[in-house]
Amino acid sequence: MIEKIKDFIQEVEEFKAETAEKAEELRLRFLAKKGILNEIFAEFKAVAPEQKKEYGQKINLLKQLVEKKIAEVKEKTEELSSKPNDLDTSLPGPNINLGSHHPITMVKNEIIEIFGRLGFTVAEGQEIEDDYHNFTALNFPPEHPARDMQDTFFVETNPDILLRTHTSGGQVRVMEHQKPPIRVLVPGRVFRNEAVSARSHCIFHQVEGLYIDKNVSFADLKQTLMYFAKEFYGEKTEIRLRPSYFPFTEPSAEMDVSCSICGGKGCPICKGTGWLEILGCGMVHPNVLKNCGINPEEYSGFAFGMGIERTAMLRYGVTDIRMFFENDMKFLSRFKH
Ligand code: DAH
């Protein structure tokens, strides 16, 4: 029997308890009612009196050892659970979700930056405009059919107040307050009473450009826009100006760039033509200059206006304009860099 106790002592000494479960197993094996120690105590009764001392000491040793091991594990596990700031600096840190600019902001900033190199600064227009700045001063006479080119949201109680249909009214506000030379961009949100679809939205963004000085010619307009197209779409980009009509410019044009997707060969994005329309432009109409207190005999200038959504759609291959307004995190996170 003494040998058996010594074996148990050795077993317990070698026992390495890492978890509370293992310690509980040990406790049950030795200290439970039907555990080893009670068994040994039962046998102890039959031990010869002269051996009792030695036996007794060994049994006590075994019991103390078991209790010590269990206490050790308990201490260890309690220590772990009572330390919430137990920091393992070798672990990778938690993911920090960085935000990014909206694609419309990114394109807008790039346009501003490119024209900024040519000396254009930024002016703010206003989203709630009056009829005068959105239409009349821009040479849209009252009842003129050109007003129907842009379906307008009017303020119900005052038909003179409206949500601007284009950023061109910003030109007027700048010319009213600044003397030439003027080189300015007016970026901003515009509103049109149109059905929302994949290709058009009732809210979108434009950037207006205006350059007024002595002897500004159509050649200056063309060169400025060509510079922009090559900087924005790439060195190989070509431009094409098609005659058009806007009440506030004469002559007026629409500008196409060679399709940056197919390089001009023709693809679904450019509908097989090799060209993409990106902006309207022209020489500022003398009536507009006069309306803003600038003498058309002395000064001339050009203006242009482009849609930011359309530009961003071409740049990023977005096929549905509505995506820009959905705040869909999956879509927006595509533009992180
Ligand atoms: N305002 C026009 C539009 O929204 C775009 C435009 C055309 C602006 C010609 C201009 C311009 O400044 O000269 O369709």
Side-chain angles (χ1 to χ4, degrees):
M1 186 186 164
I2 196 86
E3 286 309 313
K4 209 164 78 179
I5 298 174
K6 280 183 185 163
D7 284 350
F8 283 137
I9 290 175
Q10 197 185 347
E11 182 193 322
V12 177
E13 272 175 343
E14 286 168 7
F15 174 81
K16 281 203 184 70
E18 303 293 345
T19 62
E21 287 79 31
K22 286 264 176 251
E24 180 62 7
E25 270 174 33
L26 185 76
R27 190 188 68 79
L28 287 173
R29 189 160 138 74
F30 284 92
L31 304 181
K33 232 175 172 184
K34 289 186 177 160
I36 287 167
L37 271 159
N38 276 347
E39 243 171 59
I40 293 173
F41 278 127
E43 285 174 32
F44 179 69
K45 286 177 194 143
V47 171
E50 66 274 15
Q51 287 182 313
K52 274 210 152 91
K53 192 175 170 201
E54 190 196 352
Y55 268 76
Q57 280 174 347
K58 287 276 181 268
I59 294 170
N60 271 340
L61 179 64
L62 177 61
K63 191 171 176 224
Q64 282 162 10
L65 262 176
V66 173
E67 282 168 349
K68 197 174 128 210
K69 286 279 172 181
I70 291 167
E72 266 175 28
V73 177
K74 212 172 155 200
E75 203 176 300
K76 223 196 250 171
T77 50
E78 270 173 10
E79 203 177 303
L80 281 179
S81 61
S82 68
K83 262 204 209 160
N85 290 332
D86 192 46
L87 187 65
D88 182 348
T89 50
S90 66
L91 288 173
N95 275 341
I96 297 170
N97 229 342
L98 280 185
S100 60
H101 278 138
H102 191 281
I104 295 300
T105 305
M106 278 157 54
V107 168
K108 181 188 83 176
N109 288 346
E110 193 175 335
I111 294 168
I112 290 172
E113 197 270 321
I114 293 171
F115 282 105
R117 289 182 227 150
L118 300 176
F120 283 80
T121 55
V122 173
E124 292 256 341
Q126 50 191 68
E127 293 184 349
I128 300 173
E129 258 304 2
D130 50 36
D131 180 282
Y132 177 76
H133 289 90
N134 196 76
F135 290 125
T136 307
L138 287 167
N139 200 34
F140 287 82
E143 315 302 333
H144 191 280
R147 288 180 182 233
D148 296 339
M149 283 163 73
Q150 304 174 353
D151 287 320
T152 311
F153 286 116
F154 292 95
V155 171
E156 212 177 351
T157 49
N158 184 352
D160 193 43
I161 306 294
L162 45 88
L163 297 180
R164 67 173 169 197
T165 58
H166 54 179
T167 43
S168 302
Q171 289 183 30
V172 179
R173 292 200 174 270
V174 169
M175 286 190 277
E176 281 173 346
H177 294 106
Q178 284 181 34
K179 294 268 148 286
I182 293 169
R183 254 173 296 177
V184 83
L185 295 177
V186 187
R189 225 165 25 153
V190 302
F191 307 84
R192 290 198 196 167
N193 193 357
E194 274 176 27
V196 175
S197 71
R199 294 183 60 85
S200 67
H201 207 288
C202 55
I203 304 174
F204 55 101
H205 298 76
Q206 291 186 331
V207 177
E208 188 78 14
L210 177 72
Y211 179 31
I212 309 284
D213 204 349
K214 287 183 176 148
N215 302 317
V216 178
S217 71
F218 202 92
D220 297 317
L221 169 64
K222 198 173 149 190
Q223 193 60 39
T224 304
L225 294 179
M226 191 156 83
Y227 174 76
F228 166 74
K230 286 184 184 292
E231 289 298 302
F232 190 87
Y233 290 100
E235 189 52 41
K236 293 209 174 73
T237 307
E238 288 179 55
I239 64 165
R240 163 174 104 167
L241 289 157
R242 280 178 292 103
S244 185
Y245 171 77
F246 300 102
F248 37 92
T249 44
E250 182 57 37
S252 303
E254 277 170 313
M255 187 175 93
D256 301 339
V257 290
S258 53
C259 178
S260 55
I261 312 284
C262 63
K265 286 190 203 76
C267 71
I269 302 286
C270 60
K271 299 207 195 79
T273 63
W275 295 96
L276 297 162
E277 184 197 320
I278 64 156
L279 56 82
C281 61
M283 301 306 292
V284 179
H285 198 289
N287 286 350
V288 177
L289 294 175
K290 261 189 256 166
N291 289 339
C292 301
I294 293 173
N295 182 0
E297 305 295 328
E298 196 181 351
Y299 291 103
S300 57
F302 63 73
F304 56 89
M306 66 181 99
I308 304 183
E309 276 75 7
R310 199 177 150 68
T311 313
M313 284 166 91
L314 296 174
R315 155 77 41 112
Y316 300 118
V318 176
T319 49
D320 190 329
I321 193 171
R322 290 170 291 199
M323 290 313 293
F324 293 120
F325 301 95
E326 301 276 299
N327 284 336
D328 176 343
M329 289 305 288
K330 223 157 133 197
F331 171 75
L332 294 177
S333 61
R334 276 176 49 193
F335 303 96
K336 279 186 188 174
H337 48 178

